[in-house]
């Protein structure tokens, strides 16, 4: 069934060259998590959004561990283009210069990492994060369009990415709470040491 969907995508859309290049570009935005990492860095640069950036950094690390190190290797699902039913795929990728992913395909890493970032943005900034969700959806669709993933890979990436985003946010909040509690207990000792260190000796 899923291979039939990909063959339908090929037969319906892959004759449209500009759309193929567009989807290649959209997919490349998350090839190594670039768009999510860039978003995280921008948030970290400004004091007003730094806590959101720290939460996103924790979430993205969690996403890499769960998706790339654990689930992909544990499930070991082969890429769609390894099947004879998609015999047209290698020529299509070569024609448009699309780099083949060499790891396993469930869940979609592109989709998971962008939805992970989008989940953190939704928690922190509510409706302002809707464009991030739209971009994440577009990236997920591009993975199906390019036939690099099955539909269920992308759906799995959405769910797992969102879960990693939510979990990462609350892990960061727990770390922040613990760090603040530790600092409050030792605040006067720390400030006293800093005062003595910066007081000139007479």
């Amino acid at each position: 069934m899923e291979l039939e969907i990909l063959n339908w995508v090929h037969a319906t859309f892959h004759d449209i060259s500009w759309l193929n290049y567009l989807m290649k570009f959209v997919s490349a935005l998350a090839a190594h998590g670039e768009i999510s990492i860039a978003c995280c860095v921008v948030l970290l640069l400004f004091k007003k959004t730094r806590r959101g950036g720290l939460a996103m950094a924790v979430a993205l690390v969690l996403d890499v561990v769960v998706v790339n190190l654990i689930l992909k290797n544990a499930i070991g699902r082969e890429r769609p283009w390894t099947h004879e039913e998609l015999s047209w795929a290698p020529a299509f990728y070569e024609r448009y210069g699309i780099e083949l992913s060499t790891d396993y395909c469930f869940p979609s890493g592109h989709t998971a990492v962008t939805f992970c970032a989008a989940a953190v943005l939704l928690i922190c900034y509510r409706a302002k994060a809707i464009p991030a969700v739209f971009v994440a959806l577009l990236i997920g669709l591009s993975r199906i369009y390019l036939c690099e993933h099955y539909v269920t890979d992308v759906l799995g990436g959405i769910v797992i990415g969102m879960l990693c985003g939510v979990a990462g946010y609350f892990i960061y909040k727990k770390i922040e709470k613990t760090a603040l509690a530790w600092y409050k207990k030792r605040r006067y000792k720390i400030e006293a040491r800093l005062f003595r260190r910066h007081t000139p000796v007479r």
Side-chain angles (χ1 to χ4, degrees):
M1 176 63 180
E2 291 199 85
L3 287 171
E4 291 176 3
I5 292 173
L6 299 183
N7 276 321
W8 175 82
V9 169
H10 173 64
T12 306
F13 298 107
H14 285 180
D15 287 333
I16 309 172
S17 294
W18 67 266
L19 188 56
N20 296 336
Y21 283 114
L22 175 63
M23 285 301 183
K24 175 188 173 182
F25 170 75
V26 170
S27 180
L29 292 175
H32 302 96
E34 288 89 344
I35 194 168
S36 299
I37 294 170
C39 180
C40 182
V41 170
V42 170
L43 293 176
L44 289 170
L45 287 176
F46 302 97
K47 186 176 181 180
K48 188 177 179 181
T49 58
R50 193 160 294 149
R51 293 172 74 185
L54 290 169
M56 186 177 292
V58 173
L60 292 177
V61 170
L62 180 63
D63 178 82
V64 169
V65 172
V66 171
V67 173
N68 297 84
L69 299 183
I70 298 175
L71 290 179
K72 279 181 178 284
N73 293 311
I75 296 170
R77 190 181 198 184
E78 297 291 343
R79 294 277 171 175
W81 44 263
T82 61
H83 295 276
E84 291 183 359
E85 289 90 335
L86 266 64
S87 58
W88 53 264
F92 171 73
Y93 297 140
E94 184 178 357
R95 179 180 177 184
Y96 290 97
I98 298 169
E99 184 178 348
L100 297 181
S101 301
T102 55
D103 58 348
Y104 294 116
C105 71
F106 184 90
S108 166
H110 288 62
T111 308
V113 74
T114 47
F115 270 94
C116 177
V120 175
L121 291 174
L122 281 171
I123 294 171
C124 294
Y125 308 110
R126 309 294 180 182
K128 293 179 181 178
I130 290 175
V133 177
F134 174 77
V135 171
L137 279 170
L138 195 58
I139 287 171
L141 285 173
S142 76
R143 302 306 287 161
I144 297 171
Y145 180 94
L146 296 176
C147 298
E148 284 260 34
H149 281 286
Y150 300 100
V151 173
T152 48
D153 295 338
V154 171
L155 293 176
I158 292 172
V159 173
I160 295 164
M162 294 284 281
L163 289 174
C164 286
V166 173
Y169 173 82
F170 285 107
I171 289 171
Y172 165 72
K173 294 298 287 184
K174 181 65 176 178
I175 293 171
E176 182 184 54
K177 184 178 179 181
T178 302
L180 286 173
W182 180 90
Y183 174 74
K184 285 179 180 179
K185 286 182 180 179
R186 295 160 180 80
R187 177 181 175 184
Y188 294 109
K189 289 182 179 180
I190 293 170
E191 289 179 350
R193 287 179 185 175
L194 291 172
F195 177 77
R196 287 196 297 269
R197 187 174 298 174
H198 293 88
T199 301
V201 179
R202 294 181 180 179

